[in-house]
């Protein structure tokens, strides 16, 4: 139980948050502690549910006004009637450069 206090804050850490040594020590602790394994499973389940809920809320929202506002601020950007795809077609190099 004394070790659990040390490892509890590490459970649910995102990739890259723990050093290699911390990650290895946490894995070793989880292999020998059923209570912490249960906490880790709960954290994974909760994280998945929160992610799904956020995606569901975002998919209901219409971001078109936001996109139109951003494009309106870009010099030479076409208005909504021209459509984003036609702008993208006319500015392929800028689109590719923004991905890189």
């Amino acid at each position: 139980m004394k070790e659990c206090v040390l490892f509890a804050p590490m459970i649910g850490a995102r990739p890259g948050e723990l050093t290699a040594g911390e990650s290895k020590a946490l894995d070793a602790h989880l292999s020998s502690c059923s209570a912490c394994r249960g906490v880790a499973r709960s954290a994974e389940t909760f994280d998945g549910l929160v992610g799904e809920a956020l995606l569901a809320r975002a998919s209901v929202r219409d971001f078109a006004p936001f996109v139109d506002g951003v494009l309106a601020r870009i010099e030479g950007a076409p208005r909504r009637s021209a459509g984003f795809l036609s702008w993208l077609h006319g500015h392929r190099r800028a689109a590719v450069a923004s991905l890189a």
Side-chain angles (χ1 to χ4, degrees):
M1 189 61 150
K2 192 174 188 180
E3 279 188 330
C4 295
V5 173
L6 174 67
F7 291 106
M10 295 181 192
I11 295 174
R14 303 277 185 228
E17 288 182 337
L18 300 178
T19 65
E22 290 171 333
S23 183
K24 187 175 180 179
L26 177 61
D27 289 341
H29 177 72
L30 289 175
S31 69
S32 65
C33 180
S34 62
C36 287
R37 275 196 308 273
V39 171
R41 278 193 300 273
S42 295
E44 288 174 6
T45 301
F46 180 74
D47 191 39
L49 292 174
V50 169
E52 288 177 22
L54 289 174
L55 284 174
R57 288 283 288 173
S59 67
V60 173
R61 189 109 196 218
D62 180 17
F63 288 98
F66 171 76
V67 172
D68 290 343
V70 170
L71 289 176
R73 290 186 178 110
I74 298 173
E75 185 179 354
R79 299 289 179 222
R80 179 87 172 146
S81 60
F84 177 71
L85 291 178
S86 66
W87 178 86
L88 186 62
H89 180 71
H91 297 86
R92 282 181 249 165
R93 288 185 183 163
V96 171
S98 69
L99 293 174

